[in-house]
Amino acid sequence: MGTMPGPPSNHTDPSPIPVTWASLRKTAILLCLLSSTSLSPTWGQVRIPVETVKLWADTFGRDLYDTVTKYSGSLLLQKKYKDVESSLKIKEVDGLELVRKFSEDMETMLRRKVEAVQNLVEAAEEADLNHEFNESLVFNYYNSVLLNEKDSSGAYVELGAEFLLEANAHFSDLLVNTTLSSVQLPTNVYNKDPDILNGIYMSEALNAVFVENFQRDPTLTWQYFGSSTGFFRIYPGIKWTPDENGVITFDCRNRGWYIQAATSPKDIVIVVDTSGSMKGLRMTIAKHTVSTILDTLGENDFVNIIAYNDYIHYIEPCFKGILVQADRDNREHFKQLVDELMVKGVGVVDRALREAFQILQQFQEAGQGSLCNQAIMLITDGAVEDYEPVLEKYNWPDRKVRVFTYLIGREVSFADRLKWIACNNKGYYTQISTLADAQENVMEYLHVLSRPMVINHDHDITWTEAYIDSKAQSLALLTTVAMPVFSKKNETRSHGILLGVVGSDVALRELMKLAPRYKLGVHGYAFLNTNNGYILSHPDLRPLYREGKKLKPKPNYNSVDLSEVEWEDQAGMLRTAMINGETGSLSMDVKVPLDRGKRVLFLTNDYFFTDISDTPFSLGVVLSRGHGEYILLGNTSVEEGLHDLLHPDLSLAGDWIYCITDIDPEHRKLSQLEAVVRFLTQEDPALECDEELLQEALFDAVVTAPMEAYWTALALNSSDESKQVVDMAFLGTRAGLLRSSLFVGSEKVSDKRFLTPADEDSMFTLDHFPLWYRQAAEHPPGSMVFNLRSAEGPESPNEPAVVTVSTAVAVSVDNRTAIAAAVGVQMRMEFLQHSFWAATRQCGAAEGPCPENCQDSDLDCFVVDNNGFILISERPQEVGRFLGEVDGALVTQLLSMGVFSQVTMYDYQAMCRPPTHHHSASQPLVSPISAILSATRWLMNELLLLLLEWRAWGSWRGDHRAEAKTVFHHSHKHKKQDLLQPCDTAYPVFVHQTAVREANGTVECRACQKAFVMQQVPSSNLLLLVTDRTCDCSIFPPVLREAEEVKYNASVKCDRMRSQKLRRRPDACHAFHPEENAQDCGGASDTSASLPLLLLPLWAWVLPPQLLR
């Protein structure tokens, strides 16, 4: 058996739930059966001559080798590289030098983004300084939602003037205007509010700076200003489309880049009243308020939630007495628990406040948490008593913990108490009487926390974790650089007025292009992680999952820890060094999954790492030992190379950067090959190209040029019969050069996706070399690697399967070996099967009369690859399946003999179906009325939500209330539970042990003994297996490859949730300032009534109290 590694250090001791009796019984049966396995023939056993099977395997292997070498031209390509060996150099790669160079290039690129944002900050603050607020300002601006909209008479609607939009490849081919910005507002922000109009008017000054920034640095993408009043100015200008309900939910103020730039890191304890007086709508508003606060937290913040009535309880008991990092996982977990809160009893606030202060104090003293801002959020309907002694003991006179109070509901009797608490503890008081009030009122605490930074005029530079771009409506991963914008007016200095945040996006894909793929070898890669240990970019990061036909972000896509991707780092040495920003290297033996987890490579990787200056990021570069440590250098003239580069069968890796084509609009329409030709012919001197990569590509073009003539001659001389052998030949070199040649008409190609962008696994991409290249590189030179490719998707279920065969071309100079290329063919299944059945009709002379062949009824014959997948079987439905699913007895025996080993792999980014929870299966039978009440409660909740969404909550300035629609937050709509949830899984991969070239034996199956013979097919990764079909071994269960969720018992699960992983805190902290005006601490809000609220007492009277908890 292969090694079975456990989870990484932060996943140690998964302590799975005890194995079921059924699986124990199954294991006992297998051990019992295998213990009686015999190698000598007994009665009722079909005789399988070992020598005959070896003859079949040798004949089949020889035929395959001759066919593949003929059609691929692999021997010719090997000779061509051999001929130029004397002119080649193989240089050892200096990993530390490489990672430092990549880091410096990334630092230079990111510094340009910072400079652009600084320009915007200066312009915005200067514009505000020169602007005088005008309560009656009338001003037309480009409203993103109304752009180019016309009324029934054909005239442009107000705020919707003509706005030229053109598709732009640099901005994901979206329709944009690169001369102007546009302004977006969420639905619940009134677009003619004087604060809004004055802010938009002031920020018009940013238009010229946006354009200048983009002209100075054409690699810039989106630039924007998010105002503290709620509007969002974005460049280039773009039309914003509401959702299917006509609602704009995007609010720049609850985006990560805004919140992180506006405040320093913070420790927050949310204290929520769950006493009986909070029933009904009050509890609904309170839950929404908690959820809104959670949305303002990021991975540099820490949080916990305490609910109180007659007693206090942590809504997550596992988090008792601690603060946890406010990453996406924990925030979503808290939201689920908040949604389940029930009301009862009497509210006793002093114990809850005491507990909250103690947690904050203990964490501060222990040097844990954010070590910066600390705050308590008190959410209640106001019936608070005995709070002053607690405040006096724990927070006065220094008032190091701010207290923010949220009065829920329209009752104002207790407003003075809650305002007193906030004002005497450097906090802020607000009243939240409707669901729509929550967003605006919660945001006030961010303005209070930003005051010290604003008064000091500290423009900290903030870089966000990876997130998916919602502005561009794509699934690209970004990071954002952001900086706060302050009011510099002397008269408002003590108030510390935050005007907003400016930001610019950096596509992580563009950043990773600065670590060129060709310098990292066949299996190498580069990756980035944050100061919190979360992955920013990594080829194994899988942020999306498929739900039906749609790709969706996983709930935890941007909080995947480095230890969950590089899970072989069980001691955490790599993670620790990178989080600490160290420069260095280490080595690890790793198991690398391939082909969607069907296969595995065993590699020794060298990791080189360093930090990226002035950012919270660290860069890692991975090189695999052996050929991955060397780079092949050849030399040729531009004239000769250019001639061979222009062959029609040649292409270059579309994702690689041979020449920079995404800056100049004139270059964006060029393919990489077209750009290279224009550069080499000096047709376009403005092009910037990677001359080292071009030299490698030119050299490979010259060396591989004879392959075109070879393949063409082969195709011309081939008969109709030979056209049924292979569809195409292809080769790829380490410079990303691809050649291919068809032996059949394009319409007859079995797998039309192969070598196209639709099939990333077969192409050179930014993340990896092609699968056929990677597999070939890990097999001995001259060995043919077969891989079955089946048609995928419901649209082509009957498309014939095809086999890809590839082999590596290695070059050796001065005892150093590098992989120069891989070459192969796409072989038809019909030919593979025909060759096999022909080979099994052979028999040796010493055997006498020819024994039964594979097509006789007594024998089962399989050809499988080195991972146990069936390529040939007499039953077509078995082709492509894992052998263990078809013959569990045989695979069980092969595992016990060491012919195959089982390797356990882990996936910490998996998605699983959650178990169905039934509180009491018999309850509906025992009490039918409970089912009726449950249905009634659901119906009334739906009715309540419908009315809440139908009717706008809240009121607005002046006579414009009717125009300002609001929305009920999406997280409080009744929605069915997601089908899939993040989980950890373990799955087996089966690997042939290459030292075992042949084996035979029998398996005891009670009534009979099943004989088998295994023989390796020479010069390939294939195995021939011949078994006795007459013996029924169905008592053996199938051996499956299914992934199983790693179940953690309650104790271990709690320990994992509580664990405080190593992280590096942000450098800056702004908690207090002596000039801060702490008396600017809030006041009562407008409390006009609305239809749903007027109906609420009626519902409360009609329905049982528990239905409105």
Side-chain angles (χ1 to χ4, degrees):
M1 293 291 286
T3 57
M4 300 179 66
S9 56
N10 61 316
H11 295 275
T12 51
D13 184 21
S15 301
I17 289 173
V19 184
T20 63
W21 282 112
S23 59
L24 286 173
R25 186 173 56 203
K26 183 191 298 183
T27 304
I29 292 172
L30 293 181
L31 291 173
C32 179
L33 292 172
L34 290 176
S35 66
S36 58
T37 299
S38 168
L39 293 178
S40 58
T42 59
W43 63 270
Q45 179 185 311
V46 174
R47 181 174 175 271
I48 305 174
V50 174
E51 289 303 315
T52 301
V53 175
K54 186 176 188 311
L55 175 64
W56 292 347
D58 290 347
T59 304
F60 183 46
R62 188 167 54 251
D63 291 346
L64 289 181
Y65 183 83
D66 292 344
T67 301
V68 174
T69 51
K70 173 185 174 182
Y71 284 95
S72 69
S74 58
L75 297 180
L76 172 63
L77 186 60
Q78 182 73 61
K79 181 180 183 303
K80 291 300 175 184
Y81 274 103
K82 189 75 176 172
D83 291 344
V84 296
E85 231 174 47
S86 58
S87 66
L88 290 175
K89 291 182 181 177
I90 296 181
K91 184 179 78 171
E92 187 170 359
V93 178
D94 185 334
L96 277 177
E97 181 185 335
L98 201 63
V99 76
R100 286 194 184 104
K101 174 68 168 61
F102 292 168
S103 172
E104 288 167 6
D105 291 346
M106 290 180 180
E107 181 190 339
T108 301
M109 175 187 177
L110 297 179
R111 190 184 302 120
R112 291 201 302 268
K113 315 306 177 193
V114 171
E115 289 168 0
V117 168
Q118 287 171 331
N119 293 338
L120 292 170
V121 170
E122 292 170 9
E125 293 184 348
E126 188 66 25
D128 175 70
L129 191 60
N130 297 325
H131 174 74
E132 297 226 359
F133 186 86
N134 181 354
E135 181 77 29
S136 57
L137 177 67
V138 176
F139 173 64
N140 285 330
Y141 57 91
Y142 290 112
N143 185 303
S144 291
V145 177
L146 301 175
L147 293 178
N148 300 326
E149 294 289 330
K150 295 182 179 180
D151 59 22
S152 56
S153 66
Y156 288 106
V157 300
E158 193 177 12
L159 303 181
E162 182 178 7
F163 195 78
L164 181 63
L165 294 167
E166 295 178 325
N168 191 312
H170 186 63
F171 293 94
S172 308
D173 286 321
L174 292 172
L175 297 173
V176 298
N177 184 320
T178 53
T179 61
L180 289 167
S181 61
S182 59
V183 175
Q184 175 269 347
L185 298 100
T187 302
N188 63 330
V189 173
Y190 175 48
N191 61 23
K192 288 188 180 178
D193 183 288
D195 286 336
I196 294 292
L197 285 177
N198 277 268
I200 293 174
Y201 181 81
M202 175 275 291
S203 65
E204 285 283 297
L206 297 180
N207 269 321
V209 186
F210 285 141
V211 175
E212 287 169 16
N213 280 342
F214 190 43
Q215 290 173 345
R216 191 180 299 113
D217 179 9
T219 66
L220 278 173
T221 56
W222 305 100
Q223 304 173 67
Y224 38 85
F225 169 62
S227 166
S228 60
T229 57
F231 74 83
F232 180 63
R233 183 178 286 281
I234 183 169
Y235 173 88
I238 187 172
K239 185 169 176 61
W240 209 282
T241 306
D243 65 18
E244 63 273 12
N245 300 314
V247 169
I248 301 290
T249 57
F250 178 92
D251 189 326
C252 61
R253 295 168 298 176
N254 59 22
R255 306 298 289 176
W257 53 266
Y258 184 100
I259 293 161
Q260 290 175 46
T263 63
S264 297
K266 47 199 171 289
D267 298 336
I268 301 287
V269 179
I270 302 172
V271 177
V272 58
D273 183 353
T274 56
S275 64
S277 63
M278 289 285 290
K279 68 183 177 182
L281 185 61
R282 288 182 180 179
M283 197 63 218
T284 301
I285 295 172
K287 290 177 179 180
H288 180 39
T289 302
V290 174
S291 181
T292 306
I293 293 171
L294 289 170
D295 284 336
T296 67
L297 304 179
E299 59 183 40
N300 288 320
D301 303 320
F302 287 76
V303 66
N304 206 336
I305 302 178
I306 296 173
Y308 74 92
N309 40 40
D310 299 308
Y311 61 95
I312 63 169
H313 72 278
Y314 290 82
I315 69 167
E316 170 50 77
C318 186
F319 294 159
K320 183 175 181 179
I322 66 167
L323 298 171
V324 294
Q325 196 170 3
D327 58 26
R328 184 178 292 259
D329 275 349
N330 285 332
R331 295 198 308 267
E332 292 304 313
H333 181 61
F334 274 131
K335 285 181 185 179
Q336 291 177 8
L337 296 172
V338 165
D339 206 39
E340 298 168 4
L341 286 176
M342 306 275 288
V343 298
K344 63 178 179 179
V346 178
V348 182
V349 73
D350 59 323
R351 281 179 291 184
L353 285 175
R354 187 178 295 110
E355 186 76 12
F357 277 115
Q358 287 173 352
I359 297 174
L360 294 170
Q361 182 180 333
Q362 289 164 8
F363 252 58
Q364 186 80 9
E365 291 172 353
Q368 295 178 301
S370 69
L371 295 184
C372 193
N373 286 291
Q374 291 197 318
I376 293 171
M377 312 303 212
L378 176 59
I379 300 169
T380 177
D381 61 357
V384 292
E385 303 286 349
D386 302 326
Y387 46 82
E388 195 168 344
V390 179
L391 298 173
E392 188 174 350
K393 177 178 179 180
Y394 289 100
N395 208 35
W396 295 348
D398 296 333
R399 293 171 171 81
K400 291 183 178 179
V401 177
R402 297 181 189 267
V403 182
F404 296 88
T405 56
Y406 301 89
L407 177 60
I408 303 299
R410 295 182 177 271
E411 177 62 54
V412 295
S413 304
F414 302 103
D416 289 344
R417 295 184 188 181
L418 289 179
K419 185 172 181 180
W420 185 92
I421 292 173
C423 295
N424 282 277
N425 292 277
K426 294 187 178 180
Y428 200 89
Y429 157 78
T430 59
Q431 183 169 6
I432 303 179
S433 54
T434 70
L435 289 163
D437 291 343
Q439 178 73 35
E440 294 295 322
N441 286 321
V442 164
M443 285 296 162
E444 292 293 347
Y445 98 85
L446 294 176
H447 300 154
V448 173
L449 291 186
S450 69
R451 284 178 191 163
M453 178 173 61
V454 176
I455 295 170
N456 251 355
H457 285 185
D458 290 317
H459 289 97
D460 297 333
I461 299 165
T462 299
W463 289 94
T464 69
E465 69 275 15
Y467 70 98
I468 287 176
D469 185 10
S470 62
K471 295 181 295 298
Q473 299 164 6
S474 71
L475 295 174
L477 281 172
L478 307 171
T479 181
T480 290
V481 56
M483 291 178 67
V485 180
F486 312 139
S487 171
K488 289 185 173 180
K489 295 176 179 177
N490 286 329
E491 61 269 27
T492 61
R493 175 177 169 81
S494 67
H495 293 271
I497 294 176
L498 175 75
L499 299 176
V501 173
V502 294
S504 182
D505 295 342
V506 179
L508 291 169
R509 182 177 178 82
E510 295 305 311
L511 189 59
M512 296 311 292
K513 286 179 180 177
L514 298 176
R517 194 69 198 74
Y518 75 96
K519 292 189 175 184
L520 305 177
V522 181
H523 305 302
Y525 55 91
F527 64 94
L528 290 164
N529 67 276
T530 71
N531 59 301
N532 286 295
Y534 295 139
I535 291 294
L536 200 68
S537 179
H538 193 292
D540 292 335
L541 178 65
R542 305 191 313 276
L544 306 176
Y545 75 106
R546 188 172 295 280
E547 187 175 84
K549 292 184 178 179
K550 290 184 66 177
L551 281 175
K552 298 177 64 175
K554 294 176 181 176
N556 59 339
Y557 75 90
N558 65 353
S559 55
V560 175
D561 197 82
L562 178 61
S563 62
E564 295 174 324
V565 178
E566 300 288 348
W567 53 267
E568 302 275 13
D569 179 30
Q570 296 188 30
M573 294 175 61
L574 175 66
R575 186 182 186 280
T576 300
M578 293 190 69
I579 285 177
N580 289 334
E582 297 175 15
T583 297
S585 64
L586 57 83
S587 298
M588 281 194 292
D589 292 327
V590 298
K591 291 174 277 296
V592 180
L594 271 189
D595 201 6
R596 303 181 189 185
K598 292 164 64 176
R599 313 179 194 285
V600 63
L601 295 179
F602 299 90
L603 303 174
T604 299
N605 282 346
D606 291 322
Y607 291 77
F608 304 91
F609 44 84
T610 191
D611 69 326
I612 300 176
S613 297
D614 301 320
T615 76
F617 307 143
S618 290
L619 171 67
V621 164
V622 181
L623 302 175
S624 59
R625 288 271 178 93
H627 55 77
E629 297 177 303
Y630 302 115
I631 190 165
L632 185 65
L633 302 174
N635 199 14
T636 189
S637 68
V638 171
E639 294 76 17
E640 186 181 10
L642 187 57
H643 173 267
D644 291 327
L645 204 60
L646 294 172
H647 285 189
D649 73 324
L650 183 146
S651 64
L652 296 177
D655 280 356
W656 291 16
I657 307 301
Y658 299 83
C659 295
I660 298 173
T661 59
D662 61 348
I663 295 179
D664 188 332
E666 291 299 311
H667 295 156
R668 288 184 190 136
K669 60 188 177 186
L670 300 175
S671 70
Q672 283 294 317
L673 183 55
E674 290 168 339
V676 166
V677 171
R678 291 180 68 165
F679 175 78
L680 294 175
T681 57
Q682 299 183 340
E683 183 182 340
D684 192 340
L687 274 165
E688 291 182 45
C689 299
D690 185 332
E691 297 193 24
E692 183 181 341
L693 178 55
L694 290 194
Q695 183 60 46
E696 291 188 21
L698 289 174
F699 179 80
D700 287 346
V702 171
V703 175
T704 61
M707 301 299 289
E708 181 189 31
Y710 176 85
W711 289 333
T712 301
L714 205 59
L716 291 173
N717 295 327
S718 62
S719 62
D720 289 340
E721 183 179 337
S722 63
K723 288 182 179 179
Q724 303 301 313
V725 178
V726 296
D727 285 349
M728 72 164 71
F730 56 87
L731 68 84
T733 75
R734 88 279 188 220
L737 180 147
L738 270 172
R739 289 186 187 271
S740 62
S741 181
L742 294 179
F743 294 112
V744 297
S746 57
E747 73 285 351
K748 295 183 178 178
V749 173
S750 302
D751 185 357
K752 295 180 176 61
R753 295 173 71 250
F754 186 65
L755 297 186
T756 70
D759 180 20
E760 285 195 352
D761 284 349
S762 67
M763 300 290 286
F764 289 94
T765 72
L766 208 56
D767 290 334
H768 56 70
F769 274 54
L771 176 61
W772 48 266
Y773 197 121
R774 297 183 73 185
Q775 284 187 278
E778 294 310 306
H779 283 76
S783 176
M784 305 298 174
V785 181
F786 290 73
N787 195 348
L788 181 68
R789 293 173 53 85
S790 301
E792 293 181 10
E795 66 280 357
S796 54
N798 298 318
E799 186 178 325
V802 68
V803 175
T804 300
V805 194
S806 58
T807 186
V809 176
V811 177
S812 296
V813 176
D814 297 332
N815 296 320
R816 294 175 174 175
T817 300
I819 303 295
V823 60
V825 295
Q826 197 182 80
M827 181 178 286
R828 286 182 167 256
M829 278 298 299
E830 299 93 326
F831 170 75
L832 188 72
Q833 292 165 345
H834 174 78
S835 296
F836 176 70
W837 301 127
T840 61
R841 286 193 287 269
Q842 306 288 320
C843 56
E847 296 288 344
C850 222
E852 298 170 282
N853 64 43
C854 274
Q855 291 180 305
D856 286 341
S857 59
D858 288 348
L859 297 180
D860 247 348
C861 296
F862 300 100
V863 173
V864 302
D865 65 21
N866 57 312
N867 296 111
F869 292 96
I870 300 171
L871 278 79
I872 297 175
S873 169
E874 294 173 68
R875 295 167 290 281
Q877 68 272 19
E878 293 175 353
V879 173
R881 294 173 64 188
F882 177 59
L883 181 63
E885 300 173 24
V886 173
D887 194 335
L890 178 57
V891 169
T892 301
Q893 178 63 15
L894 293 174
L895 285 168
S896 72
M897 294 172 67
V899 177
F900 275 84
S901 63
Q902 177 179 326
V903 180
T904 301
M905 303 289 284
Y906 293 92
D907 182 2
Y908 296 105
Q909 301 176 67
M911 298 290 286
C912 301
R913 298 192 183 281
T916 305
H917 294 289
H918 298 287
H919 297 294
S920 173
S922 61
Q923 187 178 2
L925 297 175
V926 174
S927 179
I929 193 66
S930 65
I932 297 171
L933 283 174
S934 296
T936 306
R937 179 173 60 191
W938 177 85
L939 183 62
M940 294 309 299
N941 284 344
E942 289 296 300
L943 177 60
L944 173 60
L945 296 180
L946 178 63
L947 283 167
L948 293 178
E949 291 180 16
W950 170 70
R951 174 78 177 189
W953 286 86
S955 58
W956 305 93
R957 190 187 303 268
D959 296 321
H960 307 295
R961 295 172 184 172
E963 295 182 35
K965 299 176 183 176
T966 60
V967 295
F968 182 45
H969 194 273
H970 65 89
S971 69
H972 290 271
K973 291 178 181 176
H974 179 82
K975 57 182 180 181
K976 60 184 178 183
Q977 189 180 35
D978 289 337
L979 293 178
L980 298 174
Q981 293 181 357
C983 62
D984 300 341
T985 61
Y987 62 94
V989 178
F990 299 88
V991 182
H992 170 237
Q993 298 302 296
T994 53
V996 185
R997 302 181 58 84
E998 56 186 35
N1000 64 89
T1002 59
V1003 183
E1004 181 67 51
C1005 298
R1006 288 190 177 172
C1008 59
Q1009 289 182 324
K1010 184 184 184 83
F1012 68 90
V1013 175
M1014 184 281 288
Q1015 187 70 46
Q1016 184 169 6
V1017 178
S1019 303
S1020 78
N1021 67 325
L1022 301 180
L1023 305 172
L1024 169 58
L1025 286 154
V1026 182
T1027 72
D1028 173 7
R1029 184 189 293 182
T1030 63
C1031 181
D1032 179 11
C1033 275
S1034 57
I1035 188 173
F1036 279 83
V1039 177
L1040 303 177
R1041 291 184 54 258
E1042 294 175 356
E1044 293 187 2
E1045 183 176 356
V1046 179
K1047 299 284 189 180
Y1048 302 98
N1049 64 39
S1051 173
V1052 171
K1053 186 174 182 179
C1054 185
D1055 288 344
R1056 294 177 71 239
M1057 292 171 68
R1058 288 177 63 94
S1059 66
Q1060 302 283 329
K1061 300 176 189 171
L1062 175 71
R1063 55 185 294 276
R1064 183 171 37 136
R1065 293 179 180 85
D1067 296 329
C1069 171
H1070 309 281
F1072 295 101
H1073 195 283
E1075 296 178 32
E1076 180 183 341
N1077 179 8
Q1079 293 312 302
D1080 181 6
C1081 53
S1085 65
D1086 189 5
T1087 57
S1088 60
S1090 57
L1091 174 64
L1093 196 67
L1094 294 173
L1095 290 177
L1096 188 65
L1098 176 64
W1099 294 333
W1101 180 76
V1102 171
L1103 292 176
Q1106 62 268 32
L1107 296 188
L1108 280 170
R1109 67 180 185 275

